[in-house]
């Protein structure tokens, strides 16, 4: 997936555990792990806002776009490899 989640980076910078973050944000540690490990299909803006508030950061500190490798794959319509 081209969206990379960097929650673990912010946790390390803030010296905070996953459990503490989950509790302060108001989500389960399991749901936070799904998001943190990049397995989530979506994230609510309210959850993203709560993460940013607790971690004192911007959404761009938690999420970034990274191009997928096109090696061995056809380029999407309208795009050149």
């Amino acid at each position: 997936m081209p969206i990379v989640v960097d929650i673990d980076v912010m946790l390390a910078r803030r010296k905070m555990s996953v459990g503490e973050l989950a509790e302060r944000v108001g989500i389960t540690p399991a749901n936070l792990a799904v998001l943190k490990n990049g397995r989530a299909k979506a994230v609510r803006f309210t959850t993203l806002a709560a993460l940013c508030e607790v971690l004192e950061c911007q959404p761009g500190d938690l999420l970034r776009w990274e191009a997928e490798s096109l090696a061995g794959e056809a380029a999407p319509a309208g795009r050149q490899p």
Side-chain angles (χ1 to χ4, degrees):
M1 178 184 261
I3 301 297
V4 178
V5 182
D6 287 327
I7 290 175
D8 53 344
V9 173
M10 293 307 297
L11 282 171
R13 288 181 182 169
R14 302 296 187 252
K15 296 181 173 77
M16 188 181 297
S17 70
V18 172
E20 180 183 353
L21 179 61
E23 182 178 324
R24 291 179 61 185
V25 170
I27 61 176
T28 66
N31 283 340
L32 181 57
V34 167
L35 179 59
K36 184 174 90 64
N37 295 323
R39 295 188 316 264
K41 299 289 184 195
V43 60
R44 293 178 187 264
F45 281 168
T46 54
T47 302
L48 183 58
L51 287 166
C52 290
E53 182 177 351
V54 170
L55 293 170
E56 298 178 351
C57 66
Q58 295 295 312
D61 296 326
L62 301 176
L63 305 172
R64 62 186 161 88
W65 178 82
E66 199 171 86
E68 290 186 81
S69 172
L70 295 177
E73 298 177 14
R79 293 215 169 164
Q80 297 297 318

